[in-house]
Amino acid sequence: MSLLYVVGFGLKLGHLLLALCCWIVSIIYMNWFNNGGIMETEVGFLGGGGKMWLKWWDKISGNSRKIHQHYYQCIGSKKVRRTLWRKLLLIWVLGWVVVSFWIFLFMTLQATEKRKETLASMCDERARMLQDQFNVSMNHIQAMSILISTFHHAKSPSAIDQRTFARYTERTAFERPLTSGVAYAVRVLHSEREQFEKQQGWTIKRMDTLEQNPIHEDDYAPEALEPSPVREEYAPVVFAQETISHVISVDVLSGKEDRENVLRARELGKGVLTAPFRLLKTNHLGVILTFAVYNTDLPSNATPNERIQATNGYLGGVFDIESLVEKLLQQLASKQTVIVNVYDTTNHTHPIPMYGSNVSDDGFYHVSSLNFGDPFRKHEMHCRFKQKPPWPWLAIATSIGILVIALLVGHIFHATVNRIAKVEDDYREMMELKKRAEAADVAKSQFLATVSHEIRTPMNGVLGMLHLLMDTDLDVTQKEYVRTAQGSGRALVSLINEVLDQAKIESGKLELEAVLFDIRAVLDDVLSLFSEKSQEKGVELAAYVSDKVPEQLVGDPGRFRQIITNLMGNSIKFTEKGHIFVTVHLIEEVVNSIEVATSKNTLSGFPVADRCQSWKGFNSVSQEGPLGSFSSSSSDRITLIVSVEDTGEGIPQEAQSRIFTPFMQVGPSVSRKHGGTGIGLSISKCLVGLMHGEIGFVSFPKIGSTFTFTAVFTNESPISTEGQTQQINNQPHLASSEFQGMTALVIDPKPVRAKVLRYHIKRLGIHVEIASDLNQGLSVISNVDMILVEHEVWDRDSGVSSQFISNVRKIDRRVPPNLFVLVNSSSSSRTSSITFGVNSPTVIVKPLRASMLAATLQRAMGVGNRGNPRNGELPSLSLRHLLRGRKILIVDDNSVNRTVAAGALKKYGADVVCVNSGQDAISMLEPPHQFDACFMDIQMPEMDGFEATRRIREMERVSRGELPVNRGEVPVETLENNSNCHMPILAMTADVIQATHEECLRCGMDGYVSKPFEAEQLYREVSRCFQSTS
């Protein structure tokens, strides 16, 4: 163990010394770094605080810089004399020799102190054990004195005799681990002696002859003892434990030591000890603990005279000190390393040894006091180590090791100085390369901003025109087509955003919004985006959101949708049969879930990878993880767990470790077959981390993959809720009044698929009943308004299907229930037969979305408004009230963008004027003007939106008298009677870099609209500005 200590301490000390040398070298480099002017680039990034810090650092390190320069010129020069290095090396070596010697002395002293502390601890432990066991024996002897008083003297006739006493003491000997025997001596007056001796059948013997002439065990004969001389009273032993039965009939008052002990015990009422003496028969050193036995009616506060008068006898316990201490030491594993001596120190000048010898090979010992309950007697335990102290190998090795390390450090320092020149040249080259890399990074950011603007500008026109098209008179099918086109356009924008997001991730500028959104509507949007692709492949696509998930959440719906889109996009790529299934639950619902995915309880019947394995390593789901921090028991934190399972090709085992690596494909063949950038999953992992969640997956080749992630949202509105609530486009009020009170029958043999259908129908406010086949459904068709049958059931037996239709016709109702068959593209050839005939069922093509399902039911059942509400009609009344009669200026160099914005605002009664440059906007907004708001594009030729806004705000400050008139170019007469003190200006741009948003606020703009923008976003910004100014 000493060698291990040496090695460990040497490694630690070596690490500290190397760290010290590295710090010295870093100080030298920092001083040169500051002196060489290399920090100019750093100051630009640190800002004003960084400049102050550098000034402070220059003052602190000014002298050290000069020392370094002189040091490098002298020490680093080849002209330095060899004698200087020799002197420095000699000083270094001598200094560390002194330090090593001091460390040796210090560690030797520490080892000695530790040895003393160890001895003290061992000695105190032995003393405590001996004292505790003695107290246990003493308490039991005192209890026996009470027992004798109660059952021997207080009862007539006595309940105790010698045989009973001997058997009892023998059986309870384990409760007195330190006693070698117990005896009871009764108090007998001289007048009672003759009658007592006749009653006992023996003569009272004297003890003082034994004290004067100790005898050996083999020579002891109780019959040979002399009778006790005549005294006022006697104390003959009448009861004794078998081990000391030889003391029966001996008068304990006839011995000098025992007499003093007995008289003191009955006067004090406590246990008293004798001085050490040689015990009868064993000839070992021992002591006797004596308790007086009183009448049972003695009060607790009796005086000494009352105790003497009430004394009936004396109970004594014999302690063989030598044997007992030896037994105690045998219980300890380290017995052989310590020598123990026990002394009676009542007389300090002449202590009486009770155990042990005085042999010692060590120079120090430890004394522990012993308290055996008798304040008159004092006892001590002396402990010494048996062996001599070992050599201080640790101190020797450590001091030598430190000296060796110091020499190595000196050598390293010498080699470092010689390499400084080369390192400085390498550093200059590195800084040059660093500047080039920073310039390339800036160029990349500018390129991304330019590409974003140039691509988003036409996309804004496409999406804007589609939005305006939705406000025209379209039937349900046309609206569905337009919605799909809008979703595809947004998907194209998301592909552009992936590259921009990767750039943001690399620069650490990716941030999340906090707006109110409907997660179910987000999933419907994603399903619409992939519906055509899934129908082409014949893959069943479905989504399910638990009823426990709140209707509205606060978070970033765009980024959440991006994660789902990335995961589902990958599933669509690699899945040729089966299904793709998205589930959303509260995390509490799945923590203790015991569902096992088998082919019988999956969406399509194909086996899937068990989703429980995909979240196995999540901290928020494991028993040791911070589940409490993610729990939805608090009112404002909602932790969702989202799973996307598919029955695709699966991920090979060798590729699973790099699945989240940017720009990584599973394999070259897969990349050629499916394409893609390979950054979707890495972006998704980053977004999940920003949402305080985790992401994982489980995948098996030829079975499929299941990706699962968690995300933390809130169910309370953000602090500033005005203008921050996102309404998901094209989602009508689902639980509409035309479906309230209706009942639907779902016939599907697969429980999971039936649960998904029930989820979508219940969103429309319809009560749902489920049956597994047509025969079971016949029993409840009389009470339903509509019947939805899975094509698998419908095509199974045409005869049963025909009979089912016949039974539906026979229902005694004015309007029979409507019949619908749910199909996907894989069954289109089979479902062609059901589309013929007058009473044939209506076909619903999956994937199901609430809006599509509502439109289909309305069209088939003839309920509701066939001309569905146009976009944004929920806030239309309040917006129309805000915008009617408002005069708004739109500034954009792109005619399409001007058309989209103007059309969106004119729909609500706004009076819109459009200009195509910033200079024209300044001319239009010279006070006084009649405009209520202005939408300003940022990137425009000649004068951009920032400069135009600054000039407009300057004119407003002049009009308010905050600036002198001569600082602006506005005539004084135009400032009279101007009421437009502050006009809202909203930025319109395709640049999505965060710095652009901050620049908009700095130049005086009131809001920010990113292109391609949604009309509702324009409405929210306008309403927020008007509400804030009203």
Side-chain angles (χ1 to χ4, degrees), residues 598-613:
T598 64
S599 59
K600 294 183 179 180
N601 62 353
T602 62
L603 185 69
S604 61
F606 284 82
V608 298
D610 186 9
R611 63 174 182 169
C612 296
Q613 298 298 320

Side-chain angles (χ1 to χ4, degrees), residues 98-130:
V98 174
V99 172
S100 299
F101 183 71
W102 177 84
I103 291 176
F104 170 76
L105 295 179
F106 176 76
M107 295 187 67
T108 303
L109 180 61
Q110 265 194 334
T112 303
E113 292 298 325
K114 186 176 181 180
R115 184 175 173 84
K116 290 182 180 180
E117 292 176 0
T118 303
L119 178 63
S121 175
M122 297 172 67
C123 191
D124 291 341
E125 179 185 10
R126 286 156 176 75
R128 184 175 62 254
M129 292 180 63
L130 180 62

Side-chain angles (χ1 to χ4, degrees), residues 950-962:
R950 291 190 187 96
R951 294 195 182 185
I952 293 171
R953 294 308 184 201
E954 185 177 352
M955 290 191 300
E956 290 178 350
R957 288 195 295 272
V958 171
S959 67
R960 292 194 298 267
E962 298 176 6

Side-chain angles (χ1 to χ4, degrees), residues 234-477:
Y234 310 91
V237 177
V238 293
F239 303 142
Q241 190 174 341
E242 191 65 30
T243 55
I244 57 172
S245 59
H246 55 273
V247 300
I248 293 178
S249 76
V250 175
D251 182 14
V252 298
L253 291 178
S254 62
K256 179 180 178 181
E257 183 71 24
D258 285 336
R259 180 179 182 84
E260 295 177 358
N261 196 45
V262 167
L263 296 179
R264 190 158 54 91
R266 75 178 183 181
E267 182 177 353
L268 297 176
K270 299 179 180 179
V272 297
L273 290 170
T274 64
F277 64 93
R278 295 289 175 180
L279 298 177
L280 297 177
K281 298 184 76 175
T282 62
N283 203 32
H284 291 172
L285 280 176
V287 294
I288 297 177
L289 174 66
T290 304
F291 280 95
V293 179
Y294 301 104
N295 293 331
T296 56
D297 56 354
L298 179 68
S300 60
N301 57 350
T303 62
N305 290 331
E306 291 176 344
R307 292 194 189 96
I308 294 173
Q309 297 299 323
T311 301
N312 289 327
Y314 314 96
L315 181 66
V318 181
F319 292 83
D320 188 340
I321 297 298
E322 293 185 16
S323 300
L324 297 177
V325 175
E326 186 67 25
K327 290 179 182 179
L328 174 64
L329 296 179
Q330 288 178 355
Q331 299 177 11
L332 301 174
S334 58
K335 166 197 171 188
Q336 302 299 331
T337 61
V338 178
I339 298 175
V340 176
N341 294 329
V342 181
Y343 296 94
D344 184 329
T345 58
T346 304
N347 186 353
H348 290 285
T349 58
H350 296 87
I352 304 173
M354 300 174 66
Y355 174 80
S357 61
N358 293 324
V359 178
S360 175
D361 295 330
D362 205 342
F364 56 87
Y365 65 92
H366 181 75
V367 178
S368 297
S369 61
L370 297 171
N371 182 11
F372 291 147
D374 187 353
F376 179 75
R377 312 295 309 182
K378 305 295 182 183
H379 301 85
E380 291 179 352
M381 178 180 287
H382 295 193
C383 302
R384 295 179 174 85
F385 279 115
K386 192 173 184 180
Q387 295 86 6
K388 292 182 179 180
W391 282 86
W393 293 112
L394 180 61
I396 295 172
T398 302
S399 58
I400 295 176
I402 291 175
L403 183 59
V404 171
I405 292 173
L407 296 177
L408 291 175
V409 170
H411 174 71
I412 293 172
F413 184 74
H414 176 69
T416 302
V417 171
N418 292 333
R419 292 179 58 88
I420 284 180
K422 185 178 182 303
V423 171
E424 287 177 343
D425 293 338
D426 293 341
Y427 185 78
R428 292 189 187 97
E429 183 179 358
M430 180 190 68
M431 292 306 299
E432 183 65 26
L433 294 176
K434 178 175 178 289
K435 290 181 180 179
R436 295 178 184 177
E438 290 174 349
D441 185 65
V442 172
K444 183 185 71 172
S445 299
Q446 293 176 349
F447 171 76
L448 291 175
T450 303
V451 169
S452 169
H453 181 271
E454 296 302 325
I455 296 180
R456 283 171 168 265
T457 297
M459 282 305 303
N460 175 51
V462 173
L463 294 177
M465 289 302 178
L466 286 174
H467 194 86
L468 293 179
L469 182 60
M470 285 292 294
D471 292 325
T472 61
D473 292 329
L474 303 175
D475 58 24
V476 175
T477 304

Side-chain angles (χ1 to χ4, degrees), residues 127-138:
R128 184 175 62 254
M129 292 180 63
L130 180 62
Q131 182 175 300
D132 291 344
Q133 293 191 21
F134 188 90
N135 290 336
V136 171
S137 301
M138 182 178 66

